[in-house]
């Protein structure tokens, strides 16, 4: 199995690295930690089309491979911008695969996943999210925000305590 990056993947990695190096400097990251989100860096990420990286072109996405997403994740892990990059890429892919409209995500809306079932839970990036996708029994539901202020946490993340359940949001799949 050849895991060498293609020319396009090298260009993607370089372009994202350069963009983040300009906008998401260490000082900028430290300044953004209190809010748990950096709107300026998020805009750069969105302008590059990366929230829809794993969505088919026919659905308005970029249509990139899993390896392309790995390249983006590697850069995000290296540069550590204060944005919910991987959360949104995954949530957008799930929403698109379930037939939900993701046009707002291409314009900067933030969708995240609740990673386990439960009525009340702490969800990463929820305090900056526009919607949360969650499993409830045999259904998948989505609830629109806002979800309140960030809960205090040692990671300076935009986490929020959110109440979910069968009467919250709308069902999008069964």
């Amino acid at each position: 199995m050849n895991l060498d990056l293609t020319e396009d993947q090298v260009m993607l990695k370089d372009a994202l690295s350069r963009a983040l190096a300009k906008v998401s400097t260490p000082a900028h990251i430290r300044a953004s930690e209190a809010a748990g989100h950096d709107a300026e860096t998020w805009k750069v990420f969105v302008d590059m089309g990366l929230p829809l990286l794993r969505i088919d072109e026919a659905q308005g996405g970029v249509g990139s491979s899993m390896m392309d997403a790995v390249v983006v994740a590697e850069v995000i892990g290296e540069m550590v911008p204060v944005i919910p990059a991987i959360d949104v890429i995954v949530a957008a892919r799930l929403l698109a695969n379930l037939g939900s409209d993701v046009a707002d995500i291409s314009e900067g809306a933030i969708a995240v996943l609740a990673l386990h079932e439960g009525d009340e839970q702490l969800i990463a990036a929820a305090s900056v999210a526009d919607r949360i996708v969650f499993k409830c029994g045999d259904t998948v539901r989505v609830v629109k925000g806002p979800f309140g202020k960030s809960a205090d946490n040692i990671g300076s993340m935009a986490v929020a305590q959110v109440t979910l359940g069968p009467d919250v949001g709308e069902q999008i799949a069964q």
Side-chain angles (χ1 to χ4, degrees):
M1 173 184 272
N2 180 3
L3 294 177
D4 291 334
L5 299 181
T6 65
E7 187 177 321
D8 287 344
Q9 290 165 342
V10 169
M11 289 186 332
L12 171 62
K13 182 177 182 176
D14 291 346
L16 182 56
S17 293
R18 279 192 312 273
L20 291 179
K22 285 180 186 175
V23 70
S24 194
T25 64
H28 194 79
I29 290 169
R30 279 193 277 300
S32 300
E33 279 183 329
H37 181 67
D38 176 1
E40 186 178 350
T41 302
W42 180 247
K43 182 175 178 353
V44 169
F45 192 78
V46 169
D47 289 347
M48 293 182 76
L50 297 175
L52 302 186
L53 183 74
R54 293 286 294 136
I55 296 174
D56 292 335
E57 289 180 62
Q59 294 174 287
V62 177
S64 294
S65 70
M66 178 64 84
M67 189 61 183
D68 295 335
V70 169
V71 168
V72 170
E74 180 183 14
V75 174
I76 295 297
E78 180 182 325
M79 307 292 286
V80 201
V82 187
I83 59 173
I86 305 307
D87 307 61
V88 173
I89 290 171
V90 172
R93 167 98 184 214
L94 176 63
L95 286 165
N97 285 347
L98 294 175
S100 289
D101 184 18
V102 292
D104 63 332
I105 296 172
S106 72
E107 297 168 0
I110 296 174
V112 297
L113 300 175
L115 296 178
H116 63 275
E117 288 191 64
D119 289 345
E120 193 166 311
Q121 55 185 289
L122 204 57
I123 300 173
S127 68
V128 297
D130 297 293
R131 56 184 155 162
I132 296 173
V133 182
F134 64 101
K135 185 173 185 280
C136 185
D138 293 334
T139 66
V140 177
R141 303 182 68 80
V142 65
V143 61
K144 294 182 179 179
F147 301 101
K149 292 194 275 183
S150 292
D152 289 336
N153 64 91
I154 61 170
S156 299
M157 296 174 61
V159 299
Q161 191 79 23
V162 179
T163 301
L164 304 172
D167 299 324
V168 175
E170 70 174 275
Q171 179 177 320
I172 60 171
Q174 187 161 350

Short mmCIF file of all heavy atoms in Angstrom, two decimals, residues 68-120:
data_model
loop_
_atom_site.label_atom_id
_atom_site.label_comp_id
_atom_site.label_asym_id
_atom_site.label_seq_id
_atom_site.Cartn_x
_atom_site.Cartn_y
_atom_site.Cartn_z
N ASP A 68 -7.18 12.75 1.82
CA ASP A 68 -7.17 14.22 1.83
C ASP A 68 -7.58 14.73 3.21
O ASP A 68 -7.00 15.68 3.74
CB ASP A 68 -8.11 14.79 0.77
CG ASP A 68 -7.68 14.45 -0.64
OD1 ASP A 68 -6.48 14.21 -0.87
OD2 ASP A 68 -8.57 14.42 -1.52
N ALA A 69 -8.57 14.08 3.81
CA ALA A 69 -9.02 14.47 5.15
C ALA A 69 -7.92 14.20 6.18
O ALA A 69 -7.74 14.97 7.12
CB ALA A 69 -10.30 13.73 5.52
N VAL A 70 -7.18 13.13 5.99
CA VAL A 70 -6.05 12.82 6.88
C VAL A 70 -5.00 13.92 6.77
O VAL A 70 -4.44 14.35 7.78
CB VAL A 70 -5.46 11.44 6.57
CG1 VAL A 70 -4.13 11.22 7.29
CG2 VAL A 70 -6.45 10.34 6.92
N VAL A 71 -4.75 14.39 5.57
CA VAL A 71 -3.79 15.48 5.37
C VAL A 71 -4.25 16.73 6.13
O VAL A 71 -3.46 17.38 6.83
CB VAL A 71 -3.60 15.78 3.85
CG1 VAL A 71 -2.85 17.08 3.63
CG2 VAL A 71 -2.89 14.61 3.18
N VAL A 72 -5.52 17.07 6.01
CA VAL A 72 -6.07 18.23 6.73
C VAL A 72 -5.96 18.01 8.24
O VAL A 72 -5.53 18.90 8.98
CB VAL A 72 -7.52 18.50 6.30
CG1 VAL A 72 -8.18 19.54 7.21
CG2 VAL A 72 -7.56 18.97 4.85
N ALA A 73 -6.31 16.81 8.70
CA ALA A 73 -6.24 16.52 10.13
C ALA A 73 -4.80 16.63 10.64
O ALA A 73 -4.57 17.12 11.76
CB ALA A 73 -6.78 15.12 10.41
N GLU A 74 -3.86 16.21 9.85
CA GLU A 74 -2.45 16.31 10.25
C GLU A 74 -2.03 17.77 10.42
O GLU A 74 -1.38 18.13 11.39
CB GLU A 74 -1.55 15.63 9.21
CG GLU A 74 -0.08 15.70 9.56
CD GLU A 74 0.82 15.09 8.51
OE1 GLU A 74 0.38 14.84 7.37
OE2 GLU A 74 2.01 14.88 8.83
N VAL A 75 -2.42 18.60 9.47
CA VAL A 75 -2.08 20.03 9.57
C VAL A 75 -2.78 20.66 10.77
O VAL A 75 -2.17 21.43 11.52
CB VAL A 75 -2.44 20.78 8.27
CG1 VAL A 75 -2.24 22.28 8.44
CG2 VAL A 75 -1.61 20.26 7.10
N ILE A 76 -4.04 20.32 10.99
CA ILE A 76 -4.78 20.85 12.14
C ILE A 76 -4.09 20.41 13.43
O ILE A 76 -3.93 21.21 14.36
CB ILE A 76 -6.26 20.39 12.11
CG1 ILE A 76 -6.99 21.00 10.90
CG2 ILE A 76 -6.97 20.70 13.42
CD1 ILE A 76 -7.09 22.51 10.91
N GLY A 77 -3.66 19.17 13.49
CA GLY A 77 -2.97 18.68 14.68
C GLY A 77 -1.64 19.34 14.91
O GLY A 77 -1.21 19.54 16.05
N GLU A 78 -0.98 19.70 13.84
CA GLU A 78 0.32 20.36 13.95
C GLU A 78 0.18 21.83 14.32
O GLU A 78 0.91 22.34 15.16
CB GLU A 78 1.04 20.24 12.60
CG GLU A 78 2.40 20.88 12.57
CD GLU A 78 3.04 20.77 11.19
OE1 GLU A 78 2.83 19.75 10.51
OE2 GLU A 78 3.73 21.73 10.79
N MET A 79 -0.77 22.52 13.72
CA MET A 79 -0.91 23.97 13.89
C MET A 79 -1.82 24.34 15.07
O MET A 79 -1.75 25.44 15.57
CB MET A 79 -1.45 24.62 12.61
CG MET A 79 -0.67 24.28 11.35
SD MET A 79 0.97 24.98 11.28
CE MET A 79 0.60 26.67 10.97
N VAL A 80 -2.70 23.45 15.48
CA VAL A 80 -3.62 23.59 16.61
C VAL A 80 -4.43 24.89 16.59
O VAL A 80 -4.48 25.62 17.59
CB VAL A 80 -2.87 23.45 17.96
CG1 VAL A 80 -3.87 23.07 19.05
CG2 VAL A 80 -1.78 22.42 17.90
N PRO A 81 -5.11 25.20 15.49
CA PRO A 81 -5.97 26.38 15.49
C PRO A 81 -7.17 26.14 16.40
O PRO A 81 -7.57 25.00 16.63
CB PRO A 81 -6.39 26.52 14.03
CG PRO A 81 -6.36 25.11 13.52
CD PRO A 81 -5.21 24.45 14.24
N VAL A 82 -7.75 27.20 16.91
CA VAL A 82 -8.88 27.10 17.83
C VAL A 82 -10.18 27.12 17.01
O VAL A 82 -10.95 28.08 17.04
CB VAL A 82 -8.82 28.23 18.88
CG1 VAL A 82 -9.89 28.04 19.94
CG2 VAL A 82 -7.45 28.30 19.52
N ILE A 83 -10.38 26.04 16.26
CA ILE A 83 -11.57 25.88 15.42
C ILE A 83 -12.01 24.41 15.46
O ILE A 83 -11.18 23.53 15.66
CB ILE A 83 -11.34 26.32 13.95
CG1 ILE A 83 -10.21 25.52 13.30
CG2 ILE A 83 -11.06 27.82 13.88
CD1 ILE A 83 -10.02 25.76 11.81
N PRO A 84 -13.29 24.13 15.25
CA PRO A 84 -13.78 22.75 15.26
C PRO A 84 -13.67 22.09 13.88
O PRO A 84 -14.65 21.57 13.34
CB PRO A 84 -15.23 22.91 15.71
CG PRO A 84 -15.63 24.23 15.14
CD PRO A 84 -14.39 25.10 15.23
N ALA A 85 -12.49 22.10 13.32
CA ALA A 85 -12.29 21.66 11.94
C ALA A 85 -12.74 20.23 11.67
O ALA A 85 -13.60 20.00 10.80
CB ALA A 85 -10.81 21.81 11.57
N ILE A 86 -12.19 19.28 12.38
CA ILE A 86 -12.50 17.88 12.12
C ILE A 86 -13.95 17.58 12.53
O ILE A 86 -14.65 16.84 11.84
CB ILE A 86 -11.51 16.96 12.86
CG1 ILE A 86 -10.06 17.32 12.48
CG2 ILE A 86 -11.81 15.49 12.58
CD1 ILE A 86 -9.78 17.35 10.99
N ASP A 87 -14.40 18.17 13.62
CA ASP A 87 -15.79 17.99 14.06
C ASP A 87 -16.76 18.33 12.93
O ASP A 87 -17.71 17.59 12.67
CB ASP A 87 -16.11 18.90 15.25
CG ASP A 87 -15.15 18.77 16.40
OD1 ASP A 87 -13.95 19.04 16.20
OD2 ASP A 87 -15.59 18.44 17.51
N VAL A 88 -16.53 19.46 12.28
CA VAL A 88 -17.44 19.93 11.24
C VAL A 88 -17.32 19.08 9.97
O VAL A 88 -18.34 18.76 9.35
CB VAL A 88 -17.22 21.43 10.93
CG1 VAL A 88 -18.04 21.88 9.75
CG2 VAL A 88 -17.55 22.25 12.17
N ILE A 89 -16.12 18.68 9.60
CA ILE A 89 -15.95 17.83 8.42
C ILE A 89 -16.75 16.54 8.60
O ILE A 89 -17.47 16.10 7.69
CB ILE A 89 -14.47 17.52 8.15
CG1 ILE A 89 -13.74 18.79 7.67
CG2 ILE A 89 -14.31 16.40 7.12
CD1 ILE A 89 -12.23 18.66 7.58
N VAL A 90 -16.66 15.93 9.77
CA VAL A 90 -17.37 14.68 10.04
C VAL A 90 -18.89 14.90 10.10
O VAL A 90 -19.66 14.16 9.48
CB VAL A 90 -16.85 14.03 11.35
CG1 VAL A 90 -17.70 12.83 11.75
CG2 VAL A 90 -15.38 13.63 11.19
N ALA A 91 -19.32 15.92 10.82
CA ALA A 91 -20.76 16.19 10.94
C ALA A 91 -21.37 16.54 9.58
O ALA A 91 -22.47 16.08 9.25
CB ALA A 91 -21.01 17.32 11.94
N ALA A 92 -20.66 17.32 8.78
CA ALA A 92 -21.17 17.69 7.46
C ALA A 92 -21.33 16.46 6.57
O ALA A 92 -22.34 16.31 5.86
CB ALA A 92 -20.24 18.70 6.80
N ARG A 93 -20.37 15.56 6.64
CA ARG A 93 -20.45 14.33 5.83
C ARG A 93 -21.66 13.50 6.25
O ARG A 93 -22.41 13.00 5.41
CB ARG A 93 -19.15 13.53 5.97
CG ARG A 93 -19.19 12.12 5.46
CD ARG A 93 -18.63 11.97 4.11
NE ARG A 93 -18.78 10.60 3.66
CZ ARG A 93 -17.94 9.98 2.90
NH1 ARG A 93 -16.87 10.60 2.47
NH2 ARG A 93 -18.16 8.76 2.52
N LEU A 94 -21.86 13.36 7.55
CA LEU A 94 -23.01 12.60 8.04
C LEU A 94 -24.31 13.25 7.60
O LEU A 94 -25.22 12.59 7.07
CB LEU A 94 -22.97 12.47 9.56
CG LEU A 94 -24.18 11.78 10.19
CD1 LEU A 94 -24.31 10.34 9.72
CD2 LEU A 94 -24.10 11.84 11.71
N LEU A 95 -24.42 14.55 7.78
CA LEU A 95 -25.64 15.26 7.37
C LEU A 95 -25.92 15.09 5.88
O LEU A 95 -27.05 14.81 5.48
CB LEU A 95 -25.53 16.74 7.73
CG LEU A 95 -25.69 17.08 9.21
CD1 LEU A 95 -25.22 18.50 9.49
CD2 LEU A 95 -27.14 16.89 9.64
N ALA A 96 -24.89 15.25 5.06
CA ALA A 96 -25.06 15.10 3.61
C ALA A 96 -25.49 13.67 3.26
O ALA A 96 -26.37 13.47 2.42
CB ALA A 96 -23.78 15.48 2.89
N ASN A 97 -24.88 12.68 3.90
CA ASN A 97 -25.23 11.29 3.63
C ASN A 97 -26.65 10.95 4.06
O ASN A 97 -27.26 10.03 3.53
CB ASN A 97 -24.23 10.34 4.30
CG ASN A 97 -22.91 10.29 3.57
OD1 ASN A 97 -22.77 10.75 2.44
ND2 ASN A 97 -21.90 9.75 4.24
N LEU A 98 -27.17 11.72 5.01
CA LEU A 98 -28.55 11.51 5.46
C LEU A 98 -29.55 12.38 4.70
O LEU A 98 -30.73 12.42 5.01
CB LEU A 98 -28.66 11.78 6.96
CG LEU A 98 -27.91 10.80 7.86
CD1 LEU A 98 -27.98 11.24 9.31
CD2 LEU A 98 -28.42 9.38 7.68
N GLY A 99 -29.04 13.11 3.69
CA GLY A 99 -29.92 13.91 2.84
C GLY A 99 -30.23 15.30 3.35
O GLY A 99 -31.09 15.98 2.80
N SER A 100 -29.55 15.74 4.38
CA SER A 100 -29.78 17.10 4.91
C SER A 100 -29.01 18.13 4.10
O SER A 100 -27.94 17.85 3.57
CB SER A 100 -29.33 17.18 6.37
OG SER A 100 -30.20 16.46 7.18
N ASP A 101 -29.55 19.31 4.06
CA ASP A 101 -28.91 20.42 3.37
C ASP A 101 -27.69 20.88 4.16
O ASP A 101 -27.77 21.08 5.37
CB ASP A 101 -29.90 21.57 3.22
CG ASP A 101 -29.36 22.74 2.42
OD1 ASP A 101 -28.37 22.55 1.69
OD2 ASP A 101 -29.92 23.83 2.53
N VAL A 102 -26.56 21.05 3.48
CA VAL A 102 -25.33 21.49 4.14
C VAL A 102 -24.81 22.81 3.57
O VAL A 102 -23.69 23.20 3.83
CB VAL A 102 -24.23 20.40 4.06
CG1 VAL A 102 -24.61 19.19 4.90
CG2 VAL A 102 -23.94 20.02 2.62
N ALA A 103 -25.67 23.49 2.80
CA ALA A 103 -25.24 24.76 2.18
C ALA A 103 -24.79 25.76 3.22
O ALA A 103 -23.82 26.49 3.01
CB ALA A 103 -26.38 25.33 1.33
N ASP A 104 -25.47 25.80 4.36
CA ASP A 104 -25.08 26.77 5.40
C ASP A 104 -23.69 26.47 5.95
O ASP A 104 -22.95 27.37 6.35
CB ASP A 104 -26.12 26.83 6.52
CG ASP A 104 -26.28 25.53 7.28
OD1 ASP A 104 -26.04 24.45 6.70
OD2 ASP A 104 -26.67 25.58 8.46
N ILE A 105 -23.29 25.20 5.95
CA ILE A 105 -21.95 24.83 6.43
C ILE A 105 -20.90 25.35 5.47
O ILE A 105 -19.84 25.81 5.89
CB ILE A 105 -21.84 23.30 6.64
CG1 ILE A 105 -22.80 22.87 7.75
CG2 ILE A 105 -20.40 22.90 6.98
CD1 ILE A 105 -22.93 21.39 7.94
N SER A 106 -21.20 25.34 4.18
CA SER A 106 -20.24 25.88 3.21
C SER A 106 -20.06 27.38 3.39
O SER A 106 -19.07 27.95 2.96
CB SER A 106 -20.69 25.58 1.77
OG SER A 106 -21.81 26.37 1.42
N GLU A 107 -21.02 28.02 4.06
CA GLU A 107 -20.96 29.46 4.31
C GLU A 107 -20.45 29.79 5.71
O GLU A 107 -20.42 30.96 6.10
CB GLU A 107 -22.33 30.07 4.08
CG GLU A 107 -22.80 29.91 2.64
CD GLU A 107 -24.27 30.24 2.45
OE1 GLU A 107 -24.95 30.61 3.43
OE2 GLU A 107 -24.73 30.12 1.31
N GLY A 108 -20.10 28.77 6.49
CA GLY A 108 -19.51 29.01 7.80
C GLY A 108 -20.28 28.51 8.99
O GLY A 108 -19.80 28.62 10.12
N ALA A 109 -21.49 27.97 8.79
CA ALA A 109 -22.23 27.41 9.92
C ALA A 109 -21.46 26.23 10.50
O ALA A 109 -20.74 25.52 9.78
CB ALA A 109 -23.62 26.96 9.48
N ILE A 110 -21.59 26.04 11.78
CA ILE A 110 -20.86 24.98 12.48
C ILE A 110 -21.84 23.91 12.93
O ILE A 110 -22.77 24.18 13.70
CB ILE A 110 -20.09 25.55 13.68
CG1 ILE A 110 -19.02 26.54 13.17
CG2 ILE A 110 -19.47 24.45 14.51
CD1 ILE A 110 -18.29 27.28 14.26
N ALA A 111 -21.62 22.69 12.43
CA ALA A 111 -22.40 21.53 12.85
C ALA A 111 -21.45 20.56 13.54
O ALA A 111 -20.34 20.34 13.07
CB ALA A 111 -23.06 20.85 11.65
N VAL A 112 -21.88 20.02 14.67
CA VAL A 112 -21.06 19.08 15.42
C VAL A 112 -21.89 17.87 15.81
O VAL A 112 -23.13 17.89 15.70
CB VAL A 112 -20.41 19.72 16.67
CG1 VAL A 112 -19.47 20.85 16.27
CG2 VAL A 112 -21.46 20.22 17.65
N LEU A 113 -21.22 16.84 16.30
CA LEU A 113 -21.88 15.61 16.71
C LEU A 113 -21.88 15.47 18.22
O LEU A 113 -20.89 15.80 18.88
CB LEU A 113 -21.14 14.39 16.14
CG LEU A 113 -21.01 14.28 14.63
CD1 LEU A 113 -20.14 13.08 14.29
CD2 LEU A 113 -22.37 14.16 13.99
N ALA A 114 -22.97 14.95 18.76
CA ALA A 114 -22.98 14.45 20.13
C ALA A 114 -22.48 13.01 20.01
O ALA A 114 -23.05 12.22 19.26
CB ALA A 114 -24.39 14.49 20.70
N LEU A 115 -21.42 12.68 20.70
CA LEU A 115 -20.76 11.40 20.46
C LEU A 115 -21.34 10.22 21.23
O LEU A 115 -20.94 9.09 21.00
CB LEU A 115 -19.27 11.53 20.75
CG LEU A 115 -18.54 12.50 19.82
CD1 LEU A 115 -17.07 12.60 20.21
CD2 LEU A 115 -18.70 12.10 18.37
N HIS A 116 -22.27 10.46 22.12
CA HIS A 116 -22.93 9.36 22.80
C HIS A 116 -24.38 9.74 23.11
O HIS A 116 -24.73 10.91 23.07
CB HIS A 116 -22.18 8.94 24.07
CG HIS A 116 -22.12 9.99 25.12
ND1 HIS A 116 -21.18 10.98 25.15
CD2 HIS A 116 -22.92 10.23 26.20
CE1 HIS A 116 -21.37 11.76 26.19
NE2 HIS A 116 -22.42 11.34 26.84
N GLU A 117 -25.17 8.74 23.36
CA GLU A 117 -26.56 9.01 23.70
C GLU A 117 -26.66 9.43 25.15
O GLU A 117 -25.87 9.03 25.98
CB GLU A 117 -27.42 7.76 23.46
CG GLU A 117 -27.63 7.46 21.99
CD GLU A 117 -28.68 6.39 21.77
OE1 GLU A 117 -29.86 6.63 22.12
OE2 GLU A 117 -28.32 5.33 21.25
N GLY A 118 -27.61 10.26 25.43
CA GLY A 118 -27.82 10.71 26.80
C GLY A 118 -28.60 12.00 26.79
O GLY A 118 -28.46 12.80 25.86
N ASP A 119 -29.40 12.20 27.81
CA ASP A 119 -30.24 13.39 27.84
C ASP A 119 -29.45 14.67 28.01
O ASP A 119 -29.75 15.67 27.38
CB ASP A 119 -31.28 13.27 28.96
CG ASP A 119 -32.34 12.23 28.64
OD1 ASP A 119 -32.45 11.83 27.48
OD2 ASP A 119 -33.05 11.83 29.57
N GLU A 120 -28.46 14.66 28.88
CA GLU A 120 -27.68 15.87 29.09
C GLU A 120 -26.21 15.50 28.98
O GLU A 120 -25.75 14.56 29.62
CB GLU A 120 -27.97 16.46 30.47
CG GLU A 120 -27.44 17.85 30.61
CD GLU A 120 -28.01 18.55 31.83
OE1 GLU A 120 -29.23 18.53 32.01
OE2 GLU A 120 -27.20 19.12 32.57
#
